[in-house]
């Protein structure tokens, strides 16, 4: 947590910017109004894909914050337009792999992160040929894996926010 020491390194800053862009893509900023929401995300356990875990988890925290704000009539229209989630994919040993672990990621031929909305639209793609350039067909294979993985993550997000609603009870007014 270098931010507590007053200096953020380049990797942390890049992850912060990626997470911010990803979340803003699914928020109606006009409906939110003149407000700023700060989400602090620590990825406590991840074998790889920490930035993608941060994005996926931050959406749940954002939803929770907006639910709290809505219960206090802080905006007229619900500002969250869609889900957003992210996965890492790569080509390891000539095979497209979803959610690479650290060993796979460090030896991957291709490394990619996909950020997508719940409706399947692409927010951001980061792809790098680590060892060997990749083809359009391989990119499409990674995209198909990402869609499948993000679909599962969005289902888990839906379960998480539904569970939070049932455990908290009705919103206070």
């Amino acid at each position: 947590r270098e931010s507590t020491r007053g200096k953020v390194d380049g990797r942390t800053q890049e992850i912060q910017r990626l997470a911010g862009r990803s979340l803003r893509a699914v928020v109606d900023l006009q409906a939110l109004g003149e407000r700023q929401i700060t989400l602090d995300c620590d990825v406590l356990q991840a074998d790889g894909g920490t930035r993608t875990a941060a994005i996926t988890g931050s959406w749940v925290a954002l939803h929770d914050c907006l639910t709290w704000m809505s219960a206090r009539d802080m905006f007229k229209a619900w500002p969250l337009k869609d889900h957003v989630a992210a996965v890492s994919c790569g080509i390891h040993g000539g095979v497209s792999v979803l959610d690479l672990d650290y060993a796979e990621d460090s030896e991957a031929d291709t490394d990619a992160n996909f950020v997508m909305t719940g409706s399947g639209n692409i927010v951001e793609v980061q792809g790098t040929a680590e060892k060997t350039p990749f083809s359009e067909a391989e990119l499409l294979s990674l995209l198909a894996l990402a869609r499948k993985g993000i679909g599962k993550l969005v289902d888990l997000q839906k379960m998480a926010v539904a569970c939070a609603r049932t455990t908290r009870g009705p919103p206070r007014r």
Side-chain angles (χ1 to χ4, degrees):
R1 307 224 68 208
E2 64 275 355
S3 62
T4 60
R5 294 189 301 268
K7 184 169 178 154
V8 177
D9 72 17
R11 180 176 184 271
T12 298
Q13 194 171 56
E14 189 267 329
I15 292 171
Q16 288 174 341
R17 288 180 177 154
L18 173 62
R21 286 191 306 270
S22 300
L23 294 169
R24 281 190 302 274
V26 295
V27 173
D28 179 346
L29 297 176
Q30 295 291 82
L32 186 62
E34 294 290 323
R35 294 179 179 82
Q36 178 176 321
I37 297 172
T38 301
L39 297 170
D40 186 10
C41 182
D42 286 328
V43 177
L44 300 177
Q45 182 179 1
D47 196 14
T50 53
R51 69 191 65 215
T52 60
I55 291 165
T56 303
S58 291
W59 182 92
V60 175
L62 176 62
H63 185 280
D64 189 47
C65 175
L66 294 173
T67 299
W68 182 89
M69 293 171 71
S70 178
R72 286 151 184 82
D73 296 321
M74 296 178 76
F75 38 75
K76 294 177 183 171
W78 181 249
L80 201 52
K81 300 183 288 188
D82 202 347
H83 289 256
V84 72
V87 294
S88 64
C89 296
I91 300 173
H92 181 264
V95 177
S96 296
V97 180
L98 177 67
D99 192 26
L100 291 87
D101 63 23
Y102 181 79
E104 291 168 327
D105 187 49
S106 62
E107 296 178 8
D109 297 324
T110 301
D111 181 27
N113 294 310
F114 292 83
V115 182
M116 300 174 76
T117 65
S119 57
N121 291 319
I122 297 169
V123 174
E124 186 150 344
V125 177
Q126 299 175 335
T128 305
E130 297 288 346
K131 295 179 182 170
T132 307
F134 55 99
S135 68
E136 183 177 343
E138 289 169 317
L139 175 63
L140 293 176
S141 171
L142 293 174
L143 177 61
L145 273 178
R147 281 191 194 287
K148 184 176 182 181
I150 287 173
K152 289 182 180 181
L153 291 173
V154 167
D155 287 344
L156 290 169
Q157 287 175 333
K158 289 175 182 177
M159 288 172 39
V161 298
C163 181
R165 277 192 297 269
T166 60
T167 58
R168 267 194 232 117
R172 293 175 294 180
R173 291 263 179 204

